[in-house]
Amino acid sequence: MAQSAIDLLKRSVANFNAWRLDQRGAVLDLKGADRTDTNLYGADLSSAILDGVNFTKSSLRGANLKGSQLRGALLIEADLTRLSSGLFSGQRTDADQSNLSDAIVDRAEIDADFRNATLDRLSAQNTKWWTSDFSESSVQYADFTKSDLGTAGFRYAEIVGSKFWACELGGTDFRDAIAIGADFRNSSMFNAKLGRGNFQNARFDGCVLNRAGHLNADFGNASFTGASLPPFWNPPP
């Protein structure tokens, strides 16, 4: 079935989606397939096994990845605009150890496990990541501008130099993260968890940090101009 599915994808996404509808309930296993530089606009890859698939430079605009498994998949420089990946569906995407370096995500809805993944230089604006888990991942110099990360987790993640401009970070977990030079300007961080994180040279100007947990965090040379801070919190100037 895997080869038939790949052949259909090569010819027509519409025919592939129709075939998937006919095969409703069957497990789609494309493990290790090479879909480099492929147009998969609107493809139904929901609940599929996509471990190790190479989507480098491919377009997954509007694709459905709800409940799919992407362990070790390569999405380097892929276009994930308007991707649907399980938000509110109860189907969580497993992208453990995947690589999304230089990928483009915009106006997507994603609920995924990105633990131990590589997302360096990811462009991920205007996207909902509400409960996604980025723990122990490398998310350096990524851009999450105007995204909603709700209760997403970045525990022990490396988010050096990443942008979180005007984001919703209420309850986001940055404990033990390495966030040197990260930019959180004008974000809502009410109830965010920052304990033991390294925020040296980070920017929190204009942030709402009320009730943010910050025990043993390192804010050396960070800036807080115009920020709303918890009572009795006096970060270094």
Short mmCIF file of all heavy atoms in Angstrom, two decimals, residues 11 18-19 22 31 64 88 93 100 103-104 117 123 158 176-177 184 205 233:
data_model
loop_
_atom_site.label_atom_id
_atom_site.label_comp_id
_atom_site.label_asym_id
_atom_site.label_seq_id
_atom_site.Cartn_x
_atom_site.Cartn_y
_atom_site.Cartn_z
N ARG A 11 1.41 11.78 -8.59
CA ARG A 11 0.53 12.17 -9.69
C ARG A 11 -0.44 13.28 -9.33
O ARG A 11 -0.60 14.25 -10.07
CB ARG A 11 -0.24 10.94 -10.19
CG ARG A 11 0.62 9.89 -10.86
CD ARG A 11 -0.20 8.96 -11.70
NE ARG A 11 -1.15 8.18 -10.91
CZ ARG A 11 -0.87 6.99 -10.37
NH1 ARG A 11 0.33 6.45 -10.53
NH2 ARG A 11 -1.78 6.34 -9.67
N ALA A 18 -8.65 11.25 -2.25
CA ALA A 18 -9.84 10.43 -2.54
C ALA A 18 -9.55 8.96 -2.21
O ALA A 18 -10.40 8.25 -1.65
CB ALA A 18 -10.23 10.58 -4.01
N TRP A 19 -8.35 8.52 -2.54
CA TRP A 19 -7.96 7.15 -2.22
C TRP A 19 -7.93 6.92 -0.73
O TRP A 19 -8.37 5.87 -0.24
CB TRP A 19 -6.58 6.89 -2.84
CG TRP A 19 -5.98 5.57 -2.49
CD1 TRP A 19 -6.28 4.35 -3.04
CD2 TRP A 19 -4.98 5.33 -1.50
NE1 TRP A 19 -5.51 3.37 -2.46
CE2 TRP A 19 -4.70 3.94 -1.50
CE3 TRP A 19 -4.27 6.16 -0.62
CZ2 TRP A 19 -3.77 3.36 -0.66
CZ3 TRP A 19 -3.34 5.59 0.22
CH2 TRP A 19 -3.08 4.22 0.20
N ASP A 22 -11.33 6.34 0.58
CA ASP A 22 -11.80 4.98 0.30
C ASP A 22 -11.16 3.98 1.25
O ASP A 22 -11.75 2.94 1.57
CB ASP A 22 -11.46 4.59 -1.14
CG ASP A 22 -12.31 5.33 -2.16
OD1 ASP A 22 -13.39 5.82 -1.77
OD2 ASP A 22 -11.88 5.41 -3.33
N LYS A 31 6.97 5.30 6.05
CA LYS A 31 8.22 5.42 6.79
C LYS A 31 9.42 5.43 5.84
O LYS A 31 9.57 4.56 4.98
CB LYS A 31 8.34 4.25 7.76
CG LYS A 31 9.47 4.35 8.76
CD LYS A 31 9.51 3.10 9.64
CE LYS A 31 8.22 2.92 10.42
NZ LYS A 31 8.23 1.68 11.23
N ASN A 64 -2.97 18.10 6.26
CA ASN A 64 -3.55 17.60 7.51
C ASN A 64 -2.62 16.54 8.08
O ASN A 64 -2.47 15.46 7.52
CB ASN A 64 -4.94 17.01 7.22
CG ASN A 64 -5.64 16.55 8.51
OD1 ASN A 64 -5.05 16.56 9.58
ND2 ASN A 64 -6.88 16.15 8.39
N PHE A 88 -7.22 20.95 19.13
CA PHE A 88 -8.62 20.68 19.49
C PHE A 88 -9.11 19.31 19.02
O PHE A 88 -10.22 18.93 19.29
CB PHE A 88 -9.57 21.75 18.93
CG PHE A 88 -9.27 23.14 19.36
CD1 PHE A 88 -9.15 24.15 18.44
CD2 PHE A 88 -9.10 23.43 20.69
CE1 PHE A 88 -8.88 25.44 18.83
CE2 PHE A 88 -8.82 24.73 21.10
CZ PHE A 88 -8.71 25.72 20.16
N THR A 93 0.30 15.10 17.24
CA THR A 93 1.32 14.69 16.28
C THR A 93 2.63 14.40 17.01
O THR A 93 3.06 15.18 17.85
CB THR A 93 1.54 15.78 15.23
OG1 THR A 93 0.32 15.98 14.52
CG2 THR A 93 2.64 15.41 14.25
N LEU A 100 13.17 20.55 11.65
CA LEU A 100 12.41 21.58 10.95
C LEU A 100 13.25 22.84 10.75
O LEU A 100 12.74 23.95 10.65
CB LEU A 100 11.13 21.95 11.72
CG LEU A 100 9.96 20.97 11.66
CD1 LEU A 100 10.13 19.84 12.66
CD2 LEU A 100 8.63 21.67 11.91
N ALA A 103 12.40 25.84 8.31
CA ALA A 103 11.03 25.65 7.81
C ALA A 103 10.21 26.92 7.99
O ALA A 103 10.53 27.78 8.82
CB ALA A 103 10.37 24.48 8.52
N ILE A 104 9.14 27.04 7.21
CA ILE A 104 8.25 28.20 7.28
C ILE A 104 6.88 27.73 7.75
O ILE A 104 6.26 26.85 7.14
CB ILE A 104 8.11 28.87 5.90
CG1 ILE A 104 9.47 29.37 5.41
CG2 ILE A 104 7.11 30.04 5.97
CD1 ILE A 104 9.46 29.83 3.96
N ALA A 117 13.89 17.69 19.12
CA ALA A 117 13.87 18.06 17.71
C ALA A 117 14.83 19.22 17.43
O ALA A 117 15.33 19.87 18.35
CB ALA A 117 12.45 18.44 17.29
N SER A 123 10.83 29.76 10.96
CA SER A 123 9.98 30.95 10.85
C SER A 123 8.56 30.51 11.14
O SER A 123 7.95 29.80 10.33
CB SER A 123 10.08 31.56 9.45
OG SER A 123 9.19 32.67 9.33
N GLU A 158 17.15 24.84 23.98
CA GLU A 158 18.06 25.92 23.62
C GLU A 158 17.32 26.85 22.67
O GLU A 158 17.07 26.49 21.52
CB GLU A 158 19.33 25.36 22.96
CG GLU A 158 20.17 24.51 23.88
CD GLU A 158 21.48 24.07 23.23
OE1 GLU A 158 21.91 24.73 22.28
OE2 GLU A 158 22.04 23.06 23.68
N ASP A 176 14.58 25.97 33.06
CA ASP A 176 15.86 25.35 32.71
C ASP A 176 16.25 25.57 31.24
O ASP A 176 17.18 24.93 30.75
CB ASP A 176 15.84 23.84 33.01
CG ASP A 176 15.51 23.55 34.47
OD1 ASP A 176 16.38 23.80 35.31
OD2 ASP A 176 14.39 23.10 34.75
N ALA A 177 15.54 26.45 30.55
CA ALA A 177 15.87 26.71 29.15
C ALA A 177 17.09 27.63 29.04
O ALA A 177 17.37 28.42 29.92
CB ALA A 177 14.68 27.36 28.44
N PHE A 184 11.58 38.74 23.93
CA PHE A 184 10.18 38.53 24.32
C PHE A 184 9.38 39.83 24.31
O PHE A 184 8.30 39.89 24.89
CB PHE A 184 10.12 37.92 25.72
CG PHE A 184 10.82 36.59 25.86
CD1 PHE A 184 12.14 36.51 26.30
CD2 PHE A 184 10.15 35.42 25.56
CE1 PHE A 184 12.77 35.29 26.45
CE2 PHE A 184 10.78 34.18 25.70
CZ PHE A 184 12.10 34.12 26.14
N ASP A 205 11.16 43.94 27.38
CA ASP A 205 10.55 45.26 27.34
C ASP A 205 9.07 45.17 26.97
O ASP A 205 8.70 44.51 25.99
CB ASP A 205 11.28 46.15 26.32
CG ASP A 205 12.79 46.15 26.52
OD1 ASP A 205 13.23 46.46 27.64
OD2 ASP A 205 13.51 45.82 25.57
N TRP A 233 9.83 41.69 42.76
CA TRP A 233 10.81 41.16 41.80
C TRP A 233 11.67 42.31 41.31
O TRP A 233 11.18 43.22 40.67
CB TRP A 233 10.11 40.47 40.64
CG TRP A 233 11.06 39.78 39.69
CD1 TRP A 233 12.35 39.45 39.91
CD2 TRP A 233 10.76 39.34 38.35
NE1 TRP A 233 12.89 38.83 38.82
CE2 TRP A 233 11.95 38.74 37.85
CE3 TRP A 233 9.63 39.38 37.56
CZ2 TRP A 233 12.02 38.20 36.56
CZ3 TRP A 233 9.69 38.84 36.29
CH2 TRP A 233 10.87 38.25 35.80
#
